[in-house]
Structure formats: structure tokens, C-alpha cells
């Protein structure tokens, strides 16, 4: 796991060396190793508020929607910042690496804060996700060494293509929001992406309100620095908690498939 200040997107996938090669139930190994990678990212710290948001979205998927809803709302409150100043609140400050903070915080204290977050919130959620997955995790007659069932060769979250697809749709819709939209019509178009990204968990009037409310429309289409920061709060408060609900609903329905099995199936159709 890299410890440099590289973008978060390049850190999201564990390297093959990080994942054990052999397992009779590789979906469980893949789940555990993905959460381990998310924990490493947390302990290393982040370079921006945007990177934190992308991490929380990925964490929701990797824990199969088992992160507490209240945790996401607590995170959202931290994105409000300190009133009448440009400083971050304590939680966001602790998640950022020292050179990217806007207020002083001793690194040993910040690192302990991150460890506590892992121990008290992520580990219990990961345990719940494991227990939910274990009854449906496929068992293979070989241990997976050097074949398509090896955990290190799996590209899908928990070997669930549908869950992995949802992750990619969520990430794309989130990045579009954070970048901002060119006009009002783009907000409506984004609404279709959001339907897929939330797995239908978004309130039916949400996009209508985004389009119709002048202040929200301004926030979503402005290139002003304060509005860009406001979109981060908007995403933390309104979008990512709903993502978590969508993942939780889908995870119980998704079927297992090895990554290379899917590639072979798709190639056979050509």
C-alpha cells in the first residue's frame, strides 16, 4: 500500500501481492482484504476532503452497506467546517495528512483518532458484512491456487459483479456532483445516473428539488470555490448515506461470480 500523496483513486485496489492466492471460499477472502485496504487508507490519512468522500463511498460498498447510517450523518456534520473560519472540524482534520490540514493537530493524536474509527466503527461493520456474506459465499473444490477462483485474481467486490457495478455507478455520479454541472438540464440528466447509483433509494422528489430550488441549483452549477466546498457537504449529507442504503439492499440479492468466469462468458458471446 502506497504511503505517498498519490490520488485516492490509485489506492483503491489492493495489489495482487496483498491478497492470499489460495482459498476454498475466495469471496470471503476478497471481502476481508478489501476492508483491510480501506483501513490502510484510513490509517495513512488523506490529501483532501474530496478524497475522504470517495473513501467513505467505497467503504460503504466494501462493507456491503453495513456501516451505520448514523456514522454517515456524523461525517456530514463534520464537513460543515468551523463557522466564521476556513478551518476544518476536528474529525476531518484528523483524517487529513498533516500538510493538508487547515488547523493544528498533533499527528499522534490524529493517528489514534483514525485507529479508534477503525476499531469502533469499521471493524464491527466488516464483521456484520462477513456474517451476511458467509451463508452465500461459494465453495470451490480446489483451494484456488493459480486458477480463476484465486482471491487475488478477483476484480469484483465480494465476487459480486452487481455490487461492483453499483460501486462504479456511485463513484461516477459522486464525481459528477463534486465537479459541478454546466446547466439545469445537466442536473436532470444526472438524476438518471443517481437513480442507478442509489439503487432506487433516493427520495422521489430529490432531483425535482435540486432542479427547482434556486439556491440548490446555484450550488450545483457554480464554479465558485465556496460552492465547490458546498457540494462536498451536499454529497456527504444527501448522497453518500443513501448510497449505503442502496448497497445494503442490493448485497443480499447479488450472485457470486469469479471475475475470469465473467470474462470467459462475455468472450463466448462474441
Amino acid at each position: 500500500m502506497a504511503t505517498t500523496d498519490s490520488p485516492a483513486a490509485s489506492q483503491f485496489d489492493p495489489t495482487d501481492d496483498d491478497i492470499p492466492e489460495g482459498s476454498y471460499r475466495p469471496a470471503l477472502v476478497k471481502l476481508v482484504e478489501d476492508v483491510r485496504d480501506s483501513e490502510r487508507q484510513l490509517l495513512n490519512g488523506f490529501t483532501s476532503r474530496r478524497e475522504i468522500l470517495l473513501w467513505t463511498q467505497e467503504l460503504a460498498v466494501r462493507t456491503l452497506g453495513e456501516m451505520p447510517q448514523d456514522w454517515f450523518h456524523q461525517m456530514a456534520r463534520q464537513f460543515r467546517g468551523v463557522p466564521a473560519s476556513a478551518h476544518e472540524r476536528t474529525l476531518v482534520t484528523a483524517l487529513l495528512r498533516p500538510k493538508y490540514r487547515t488547523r493544528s493537530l498533533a499527528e499522534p493524536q490524529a493517528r489514534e483518532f483514525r485507529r479508534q474509527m477503525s476499531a469502533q466503527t469499521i471493524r464491527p461493520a466488516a464483521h456484520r458484512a462477513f456474517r451476511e456474506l458467509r451463508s452465500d459465499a461459494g465453495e470451490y473444490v480446489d483451494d484456488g491456487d493459480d486458477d480463476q477462483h484465486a482471491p487475488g485474481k478477483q476484480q469484483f467486490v465480494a465476487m459480486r459483479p452487481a455490487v461492483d457495478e453499483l460501486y462504479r455507478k456511485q463513484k461516477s455520479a459522486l464525481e459528477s456532483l463534486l465537479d459541478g454541472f454546466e446547466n439545469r438540464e445537466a442536473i436532470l440528466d444526472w438524476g438518471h445516473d443517481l437513480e442507478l447509483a442509489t439503487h432506487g433509494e433516493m427520495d422521489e422528489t430529490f432531483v425535482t428539488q435540486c432542479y427547482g430550488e434556486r439556491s440548490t441549483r446555484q450550488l450545483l452549477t457554480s464554479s465558485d470555490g465556496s460552492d465547490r466546498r458546498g457540494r462536498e457537504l451536499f454529497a456527504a449529507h444527501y448522497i453518500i448515506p443513501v448510497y449505503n442504503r442502496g448497497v445494503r439492499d442490493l448485497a443480499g440479492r447479488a450472485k457470486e461470480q469469479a471475475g475470469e468466469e465473467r470474462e470467459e462468458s462475455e468472450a463466448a458471446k462474441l
Side-chain angles (χ1 to χ4, degrees), residues 206-226:
F206 180 77
V207 176
T208 303
Q209 293 174 333
C210 290
Y211 178 83
E213 294 178 358
R214 178 177 297 180
S215 59
T216 304
R217 194 166 63 241
Q218 168 69 23
L219 176 71
L220 298 182
T221 58
S222 171
S223 60
D224 183 78
S226 61

Side-chain angles (χ1 to χ4, degrees), residues 26 38-39 41 62 64-65 67 69-70 80 82 84 93 103 122 147-148 150 172 183 190 212 221 225-226 238 241 264:
S38 292
E39 182 182 70
Q41 294 177 49
R62 286 181 163 183
L64 304 182
M67 290 292 291
Q69 285 296 120
D70 185 59
R80 295 183 182 276
V82 178
T93 300
R103 61 186 295 182
I122 298 178
D147 71 11
Q148 63 188 9
S172 177
N183 50 49
W190 173 71
T221 58
S226 61
Y238 292 110
E264 292 174 0

Side-chain angles (χ1 to χ4, degrees), residues 10-156:
S10 65
Q11 301 177 6
F12 279 174
D13 296 323
T15 64
D16 290 343
D17 292 339
D18 292 335
I19 300 180
E21 282 299 313
S23 175
Y24 293 106
R25 306 188 77 190
L28 295 175
V29 177
K30 173 65 171 166
L31 177 74
V32 168
E33 294 303 325
D34 279 351
V35 174
R36 192 197 305 271
D37 178 65
S38 292
E39 182 182 70
R40 288 171 178 169
Q41 294 177 49
L42 169 64
L43 296 179
N44 287 339
F46 303 98
T47 64
S48 67
R49 289 158 55 100
R50 180 181 180 123
E51 189 175 307
I52 294 172
L53 287 173
L54 291 171
W55 174 78
T56 60
Q57 178 262 320
E58 185 190 51
L59 183 64
V61 176
R62 286 181 163 183
T63 56
L64 304 182
E66 292 294 332
M67 290 292 291
Q69 285 296 120
D70 185 59
W71 181 79
F72 292 97
H73 294 301
Q74 291 176 12
M75 287 289 291
R77 288 192 290 271
Q78 294 295 318
F79 271 79
R80 295 183 182 276
V82 178
S85 81
H87 292 166
E88 310 289 356
R89 290 186 183 271
T90 302
L91 188 151
V92 172
T93 300
L95 294 181
L96 293 170
R97 298 177 191 174
K99 65 182 292 186
Y100 299 100
R101 294 172 188 158
T102 59
R103 61 186 295 182
S104 177
L105 182 66
E107 179 56 17
Q109 180 183 354
R111 188 169 180 83
E112 176 59 23
F113 191 97
R114 298 196 296 271
R115 285 194 292 258
Q116 288 292 331
M117 178 182 290
S118 176
Q120 296 180 12
T121 306
I122 298 178
R123 291 299 179 88
H127 178 66
R128 291 192 296 271
F130 188 97
R131 290 177 64 86
E132 285 296 317
L133 182 64
R134 66 182 181 178
S135 61
D136 295 323
E139 182 174 345
Y140 299 91
V141 295
D142 54 69
D143 67 0
D145 281 330
D146 301 321
D147 71 11
Q148 63 188 9
H149 303 134
K153 295 182 179 179
Q154 303 312 312
Q155 64 193 77
F156 305 126

